[in-house]
Amino acid sequence: MTDDGGRKTEDGSHPSSVIRPSSTVHLTMFAEIVVNAPPRKQRIRSPKETPTYRAFSQTFTYAIPPHLDGRVQIGSLVTVPFGSLTYQGIVLALAAESPVEKVKPILDLADPLPVLSERHIALARWMSEYYFAPLIDCALLMLPPGLESDMQTFITLNPDAPLKNPTAIQSAIIERLKCD
């Protein structure tokens, strides 16, 4: 190995391109994610009007933050910001570069192990294209049983809430909540 005076190392590379064991290298990675968000209310009249099926196969690019570096894998179930809300998504691919300029970071891993294999993802992509179906719907079909669940809302009565002259409907709701 030689010095940095413009000469090359023994292996023929320039010294500045050699990764030295003592240096810390962080390669920013990006993930292509299909997000489990409610579909936009958009009418598609026919497949001919959407030749690339972009509406159904839309994925989003997110940055992998340092605290998740090395933990996010293809098939991982992640939590991501989507607009002003937070949703879960599935990592479909990893890349060293982003196809878009502005990206948001992945918030967290929802499961430490990948929930889908690369074969599952390939099948979901094929199904989405062949059957003209949303990619997220095809990917969700591949999830292990019990992993996906619908959100449930629980309403409980606050016994300390002051109620002055409740209406008939409010009284009926209060009585119903007391029974449960």
Side-chain angles (χ1 to χ4, degrees), residues 74 116-123:
I74 293 174
L116 295 181
S117 69
E118 290 188 41
R119 283 183 158 178
H120 288 123
I121 293 168
L123 179 58

Side-chain angles (χ1 to χ4, degrees), residues 12 24 78 86-87 107 113 137 165:
T24 304
V78 294
T86 301
Y87 291 105
L107 299 176
L113 299 174
D137 291 344
N165 302 326

Side-chain angles (χ1 to χ4, degrees), residues 52-169:
T52 61
Y53 306 108
R54 185 169 171 243
F56 288 113
S57 63
Q58 190 159 16
T59 59
F60 300 90
T61 301
Y62 286 86
I64 300 174
H67 73 279
L68 295 176
D69 196 21
R71 295 175 48 206
V72 174
Q73 302 171 43
I74 293 174
S76 289
L77 187 62
V78 294
T79 306
V80 294
F82 195 77
S84 61
L85 301 171
T86 301
Y87 291 105
Q88 286 188 340
I90 301 169
V91 176
L92 301 180
L94 298 174
E97 295 181 12
S98 172
V100 292
E101 208 171 295
K102 281 186 154 184
V103 294
K104 293 180 179 181
I106 295 172
L107 299 176
D108 203 3
L109 278 172
D111 196 309
L113 299 174
V115 294
L116 295 181
S117 69
E118 290 188 41
R119 283 183 158 178
H120 288 123
I121 293 168
L123 179 58
R125 286 185 191 268
W126 176 84
M127 289 171 58
S128 175
E129 184 178 325
Y130 187 82
Y131 293 107
F132 196 57
L135 180 56
I136 186 61
D137 291 344
C138 297
L140 292 176
L141 290 172
M142 310 292 164
L143 291 178
L147 190 60
E148 184 196 10
S149 62
D150 294 329
M151 186 185 317
Q152 295 180 351
T153 303
F154 294 94
I155 300 173
T156 58
L157 182 63
N158 181 354
D160 301 329
L163 286 173
K164 298 178 185 173
N165 302 326
T167 65
I169 294 174

